[in-house]
Amino acid sequence: MLNDATDALARLLPDGVLRDMAPAYLEEPRGRYKGRAGLIAAPRTVDEVAAIVRACADARVPIVPRGGGTGLVGGQVMPDGTAPLVLSLERMTAIRAIYPEEGVIVAEAGATLHQVRDAAAAVGRQFPLSLASQGTAQIGGVLATNAGGVNVLRYGNARALCLGVEAVLPQGQIMHDLKRLRKDNTGYDIRDLLIGAEGTLGIITAASLVLAPVPAETGVAMLVVDSPEAALSLLSLAQARMAGGVTAFELISGQGLRFLDAAFPTLRQPFADRPDWLVLIEVGLPAGLPVDAALEDLFTDAAEAGLVSDGVIARSGQQAADLWAVREMIPEANRHIGAIASHDISLPLSGVARFIRDCSALLAGMADLRINCFGHLGDGNLHFNLFPAEGRTRDPYDGIRRDLSRAVHQMVVARGGSFSAEHGVGRLKAAELAEWGDPARLAAMRAIKNVLDPAGIMNPGVILA
Amino acid sequence: MLNDATDALARLLPDGVLRDMAPAYLEEPRGRYKGRAGLIAAPRTVDEVAAIVRACADARVPIVPRGGGTGLVGGQVMPDGTAPLVLSLERMTAIRAIYPEEGVIVAEAGATLHQVRDAAAAVGRQFPLSLASQGTAQIGGVLATNAGGVNVLRYGNARALCLGVEAVLPQGQIMHDLKRLRKDNTGYDIRDLLIGAEGTLGIITAASLVLAPVPAETGVAMLVVDSPEAALSLLSLAQARMAGGVTAFELISGQGLRFLDAAFPTLRQPFADRPDWLVLIEVGLPAGLPVDAALEDLFTDAAEAGLVSDGVIARSGQQAADLWAVREMIPEANRHIGAIASHDISLPLSGVARFIRDCSALLAGMADLRINCFGHLGDGNLHFNLFPAEGRTRDPYDGIRRDLSRAVHQMVVARGGSFSAEHGVGRLKAAELAEWGDPARLAAMRAIKNVLDPAGIMNPGVILA
């Protein structure tokens, strides 16, 4: 696959960084984009990353940084243009240091999220960011996409959990900013500019991350609510009672439960009648407050307020895991059914319930379809996914897929929401960002991209098309 | 004070925005810098701010954005160069909206921190950022400096509490990004770039801010510890027990208590013998966990572990306020004694105790002086302030003040700390940032400044000298 130009570039790279071409370096999970590459490089040190970036900048060869490759918006592949160098962080996997007493871990970009979470647990702390893909997703990618997940409500997105980064900027400069400080106001927030930039402004090679204390008591319940409105009132009540101790607050729809029935007929669901709406709540509480009692009291209050009609409280770790399994198998069930279109959206919390109603009505007027709306309700973050009507295939929807998605995103934007909540923009939503982003903000983004990456080599086509 | 150039500029400004020159617009609290101004403008709307910025950009007249003026690093005054336009946010004080159920308030930049905290309290929520200057400090300045305060341990700095901003960029473009979303990944984090930029990249005119639930139970205790090491072990223990419910964790030294004796002889202190080290801890807990019992259990465990030797737990709101008064009057006592030099530093938590010991020893070798080390220990943020030896005045120290500060900051930087933890860089520390900042990070900062503010009109001399 080498041509003269890539051959010349290959000779400029540090010894031993090149890897054989393999399909895995060119793939993304949903198969929407086919990646291409002239070279695959897997550096072992930040100095090697810098040398590769300098060589590519000189040769004007694009770089596609690659972590675990689990991103869902095509940010890890480059289907068009000059064949890029794919820079895999797979060899930079060290946990460089861990400081249990200060609640900090310093990990290299190629460490998986699972590896960091394990290292934290081994010293009696937790790294609270949790994703379905955590066995494969790497810290560098988690930061580059400012990933979210189920614990954002309490602990924040990836950005909120990062105290410092080491990174290679687009002209090969190494930025040493691996601080472990909770307060540091020494100029512009370059760290947060790299976080969420999806590899277009540089390559994060290591990060210092926040470890949180493990709550003395943890409990999980699944509660039946009449509506998303009731779910949000329940959240308010829970937050008031728990002093911010609500760790996760997930919404599940009856449609999701019926998809589970179809995909996993043997999965035991907690409610025989498949209610229209369920909430999965997890709380982490101080010592001295029995979590069962706290959840029972919450249930009693919520029932008196007419917010919940039924519920189960996990009485063991196994029961808690079983309740979580119901939530976590929904994406798999969705794949089994086969979505027409998926949407990773967020809305101001007080507009979520009305959005679900209004958007469902709008779509019902456009096509006969099923909606599985689920996700991180506590963050206002919904996965609003569209499926064929019962007994139909996806094909008849091909012609309107784009219109359906556009209708969803237009309503989201009109109501102050985001069409890219936790998965990033990547290639998939670059055109929508250009259309719907605030012009002054977009102009600032373009100016920053041009000045930091004048050769335009860092992950071109991602975020800014 | 108008000359021809400012006269010409004045004619280009929106009607009615000019204010009479008044000394208050040219001052900063410590009197280190004397401000100058050609014009004072106080716009009422974001459009007026934009018009002023465009006029100044065209005329190449610098702009000094001004909030409450309480900053301690000279960021609100411009002593040299072309006389600037001082742009005061004093007329943009509206609370534009408040959403108790989603935990969001939208406030204009000129609203005081106190005003925002009051508005939150009126709907049963809290805006957790709390500063001594909150009656005067304005939201715009709080964000521009990424202010900290006593509740950062639990709720984060200003940055962590801001979901969106409306801002005028240096060429007069209005950035509309007043989102109220917990998850939004739509490109580069321009918001966090403006936060902490101290008015050098634009003017924040409004912000959407996070309101937190008010904990069901709040308690305060003051505990005697042997050493900062013991204090940090106590913090670890408290965090583990309280599931992250520790709201504030402040260190007070015996020197501070003796300064309080000198400055406020009638102030009742909780411990007659003026211990070497005290910790003030505040916790906010869920419903159902009596806070007195939780603090007593913490004390018992800590005493058994040899971490604390004495303590008082506030039994009423008044007692809690009295304990806080001991902490909050220390800066006033310091002013009464008269500091040689003050340092707003932070360190990795596990290095704080050794730093206090080593730096005290280093300074003792340089001069006969007293150190009052106090502050936000939970954040690793110390105010490490130097005072003349008993019975001496400040004058004899004039010749070595600079050397003393340099010694403190050098040790801080060598140990991975920050010489600017929560007050910002301003003019005061711009030279130190240029000297000690990471070169790649500084280069990125300068590139961003130059490309976003090509005329160099936004608060010149601040952060980047």
Side-chain angles (χ1 to χ4, degrees):
Chain A
M1 198 160 173
L2 293 183
N3 59 26
D4 287 353
T6 52
D7 207 22
L9 172 61
R11 282 194 297 271
L12 296 173
L13 300 180
D15 283 346
V17 300
L18 283 180
R19 308 291 263 182
D20 290 339
M21 193 73 58
Y25 291 112
L26 306 178
E27 290 168 357
E28 50 88 17
R30 289 187 177 163
R32 291 176 201 251
Y33 303 96
K34 268 189 97 68
R36 297 154 60 254
L39 294 169
I40 313 288
R44 289 149 295 202
T45 65
V46 64
D47 290 326
E48 287 187 350
V49 175
I52 294 168
V53 171
R54 280 193 302 271
C56 288
D58 289 346
R60 304 262 157 166
V61 171
I63 297 173
V64 176
R66 190 170 179 105
T70 59
L72 296 173
V73 291
Q76 70 281 64
V77 292
M78 185 172 162
D80 313 302
T82 307
L85 178 143
V86 171
L87 193 154
S88 168
L89 279 304
E90 67 195 65
R91 283 170 161 177
M92 292 186 67
T93 62
I95 303 296
R96 289 197 191 159
I98 187 160
Y99 305 90
E101 72 283 20
E102 54 185 67
V104 177
I105 189 169
V106 183
E108 291 190 339
T112 63
L113 178 49
H114 183 78
Q115 192 185 339
V116 169
R117 287 171 55 87
D118 265 6
V123 297
R125 296 291 183 275
Q126 61 165 332
F127 182 62
L129 197 133
S130 178
L131 304 174
S133 59
Q134 62 200 23
T136 312
Q138 296 175 4
I139 288 300
V142 162
L143 290 170
T145 59
N146 185 29
V150 293
N151 297 331
V152 171
L153 178 61
R154 179 160 188 171
Y155 297 104
N157 294 290
R159 174 171 285 132
L161 296 169
C162 180
L163 298 174
V165 296
E166 173 192 271
V168 175
L169 302 185
Q171 295 174 285
Q173 322 93 310
I174 300 175
M175 183 173 99
H176 296 282
D177 195 33
L178 270 183
K179 289 195 176 144
R180 315 197 310 265
L181 306 172
R182 311 290 167 148
K183 284 181 174 170
D184 176 32
N185 277 313
T186 46
Y188 305 162
D189 188 2
I190 307 298
R191 176 185 73 235
D192 282 323
L193 196 61
L194 293 174
I195 296 173
E198 304 182 30
T200 64
L201 296 178
I203 299 168
I204 295 170
T205 53
S208 45
L209 303 167
V210 173
L211 301 182
V214 178
E217 301 256 351
T218 303
V220 174
M222 196 169 264
L223 306 173
V224 177
V225 294
D226 260 1
S227 63
E229 280 90 344
L232 286 162
S233 299
L234 174 65
L235 173 61
S236 247
L237 181 67
Q239 291 282 44
R241 294 189 61 92
M242 305 291 180
V246 182
T247 308
F249 196 85
E250 300 281 308
L251 184 70
I252 298 169
S253 70
Q255 186 65 74
L257 300 176
R258 289 188 293 276
F259 282 180
L260 286 173
D261 283 330
F264 306 107
T266 61
L267 177 74
R268 212 164 47 179
Q269 292 194 29
F271 304 100
D273 58 346
R274 311 297 182 251
D276 284 346
W277 298 101
L278 289 181
V279 160
L280 185 153
I281 181 171
E282 180 169 312
V283 300
L285 300 177
L289 181 58
V291 74
D292 284 10
L295 286 171
E296 278 159 20
D297 289 351
L298 172 66
F299 179 81
T300 306
D301 279 14
E304 275 174 18
L307 300 175
V308 301
S309 57
D310 199 356
V312 291
I313 296 173
R315 299 295 172 183
S316 68
Q318 185 56 51
Q319 282 183 19
D322 289 346
L323 293 179
W324 266 112
V326 172
R327 162 67 183 85
E328 288 176 341
M329 289 172 83
I330 289 176
E332 190 56 36
N334 286 345
R335 278 187 285 276
H336 177 88
I337 306 291
I340 302 166
S342 304
H343 306 97
D344 165 42
I345 60 177
S346 66
L347 289 141
L349 265 192
S350 59
V352 169
R354 213 181 113 206
F355 172 86
I356 294 174
R357 218 168 38 236
D358 293 352
C359 196
S360 302
L362 176 74
L363 295 174
M366 293 175 71
D368 185 17
L369 43 72
R370 290 175 294 178
I371 299 171
N372 187 9
C373 169
F374 67 102
H376 319 298
L377 182 63
D379 313 318
N381 175 200
L382 301 175
H383 299 308
F384 197 84
N385 296 355
L386 315 184
F387 296 83
E390 182 92 49
R392 295 180 67 181
T393 65
R394 275 188 288 187
D395 300 348
Y397 297 88
D398 278 351
I400 57 164
R401 175 180 298 140
R402 190 187 281 258
D403 292 342
L404 293 169
S405 281
R406 194 169 169 81
V408 172
H409 285 165
Q410 261 177 335
M411 187 179 283
V412 166
V413 169
R415 296 184 179 195
S418 174
F419 57 88
S420 172
E422 62 170 3
H423 295 166
V425 172
R427 303 182 173 281
L428 187 66
K429 301 183 181 177
E432 282 167 300
L433 177 59
E435 180 180 356
W436 285 325
D438 176 71
R441 182 165 169 268
L442 281 172
M445 285 169 54
R446 290 198 187 99
I448 289 169
K449 168 71 175 175
N450 290 339
V451 75
L452 294 185
D453 181 16
I457 59 162
M458 291 305 310
N459 222 5
V462 167
I463 295 183
L464 296 170
Chain B
M1 198 161 176
L2 295 184
N3 59 25
D4 287 352
T6 52
D7 207 21
L9 173 61
R11 281 193 298 270
L12 297 174
L13 300 181
D15 283 346
V17 299
L18 284 178
R19 307 291 264 181
D20 290 341
M21 194 72 61
Y25 291 112
L26 307 177
E27 290 168 357
E28 51 87 19
R30 288 186 177 162
R32 290 175 203 251
Y33 303 95
K34 269 190 97 68
R36 297 153 59 255
L39 294 169
I40 313 288
R44 290 149 294 202
T45 64
V46 64
D47 289 326
E48 287 186 352
V49 175
I52 294 168
V53 171
R54 281 193 302 269
C56 288
D58 289 346
R60 304 261 156 166
V61 171
I63 297 174
V64 177
R66 191 172 178 102
T70 58
L72 297 171
V73 291
Q76 69 281 66
V77 292
M78 184 172 162
D80 313 304
T82 306
L85 178 143
V86 171
L87 192 154
S88 168
L89 279 305
E90 67 193 65
R91 284 169 161 178
M92 291 186 68
T93 61
I95 304 295
R96 289 196 192 161
I98 187 160
Y99 304 89
E101 72 282 19
E102 56 183 68
V104 176
I105 188 169
V106 182
E108 291 189 339
T112 64
L113 179 49
H114 183 78
Q115 190 185 338
V116 169
R117 288 172 54 87
D118 266 6
V123 297
R125 297 291 183 274
Q126 60 165 332
F127 182 63
L129 198 133
S130 177
L131 304 173
S133 60
Q134 62 200 26
T136 312
Q138 297 174 5
I139 288 301
V142 162
L143 290 170
T145 60
N146 186 27
V150 292
N151 296 333
V152 170
L153 178 59
R154 180 162 188 170
Y155 297 105
N157 294 289
R159 174 171 287 132
L161 296 168
C162 180
L163 298 175
V165 296
E166 173 193 271
V168 175
L169 301 184
Q171 295 175 284
Q173 320 93 311
I174 301 174
M175 184 174 97
H176 296 282
D177 195 33
L178 270 183
K179 288 194 176 144
R180 316 197 308 266
L181 306 173
R182 311 290 166 146
K183 284 182 174 169
D184 176 33
N185 277 313
T186 46
Y188 304 162
D189 189 1
I190 308 297
R191 176 185 73 236
D192 282 324
L193 196 60
L194 294 172
I195 295 173
E198 305 183 28
T200 65
L201 296 179
I203 300 168
I204 294 169
T205 53
S208 45
L209 303 167
V210 172
L211 302 181
V214 179
E217 301 256 351
T218 304
V220 174
M222 196 169 263
L223 306 173
V224 177
V225 293
D226 260 0
S227 63
E229 279 91 345
L232 286 163
S233 299
L234 174 64
L235 173 61
S236 248
L237 181 66
Q239 291 282 45
R241 294 189 61 91
M242 305 291 181
V246 182
T247 309
F249 196 84
E250 300 281 309
L251 183 71
I252 299 170
S253 72
Q255 187 64 73
L257 299 176
R258 291 188 291 277
F259 282 0
L260 285 173
D261 283 331
F264 307 105
T266 61
L267 177 75
R268 215 165 43 181
Q269 292 192 28
F271 304 100
D273 59 347
R274 311 297 180 250
D276 284 346
W277 298 102
L278 290 181
V279 160
L280 185 152
I281 182 172
E282 181 169 309
V283 299
L285 300 177
L289 181 59
V291 75
D292 283 11
L295 286 171
E296 278 160 20
D297 288 352
L298 172 66
F299 179 82
T300 306
D301 278 13
E304 275 174 19
L307 300 175
V308 302
S309 57
D310 199 357
V312 290
I313 296 172
R315 300 295 172 184
S316 68
Q318 184 57 51
Q319 282 183 19
D322 289 347
L323 293 179
W324 267 112
V326 171
R327 163 65 184 87
E328 287 176 342
M329 290 173 83
I330 290 176
E332 189 58 36
N334 285 346
R335 278 187 285 276
H336 177 89
I337 306 290
I340 301 165
S342 304
H343 307 97
D344 165 42
I345 60 177
S346 65
L347 289 142
L349 264 192
S350 59
V352 168
R354 211 180 115 206
F355 172 87
I356 294 174
R357 217 166 41 233
D358 293 352
C359 196
S360 301
L362 176 75
L363 295 174
M366 294 174 71
D368 185 17
L369 44 71
R370 291 175 292 178
I371 298 170
N372 187 9
C373 169
F374 67 103
H376 317 300
L377 182 63
D379 314 316
N381 175 202
L382 302 174
H383 299 307
F384 198 84
N385 296 355
L386 315 183
F387 297 83
E390 182 92 50
R392 295 180 69 181
T393 64
R394 277 189 286 188
D395 300 347
Y397 298 88
D398 277 350
I400 56 164
R401 174 178 300 140
R402 189 186 284 258
D403 293 341
L404 294 169
S405 282
R406 195 170 169 80
V408 172
H409 285 167
Q410 260 176 336
M411 187 178 284
V412 166
V413 170
R415 297 184 180 198
S418 174
F419 56 86
S420 173
E422 62 170 3
H423 295 166
V425 173
R427 303 182 172 282
L428 188 66
K429 300 182 182 176
E432 283 167 300
L433 177 59
E435 181 179 355
W436 285 325
D438 174 71
R441 183 166 168 268
L442 281 172
M445 286 170 53
R446 290 197 187 99
I448 290 169
K449 169 70 175 174
N450 290 338
V451 75
L452 294 186
D453 182 16
I457 58 163
M458 290 306 309
N459 222 6
V462 167
I463 296 183
L464 296 170

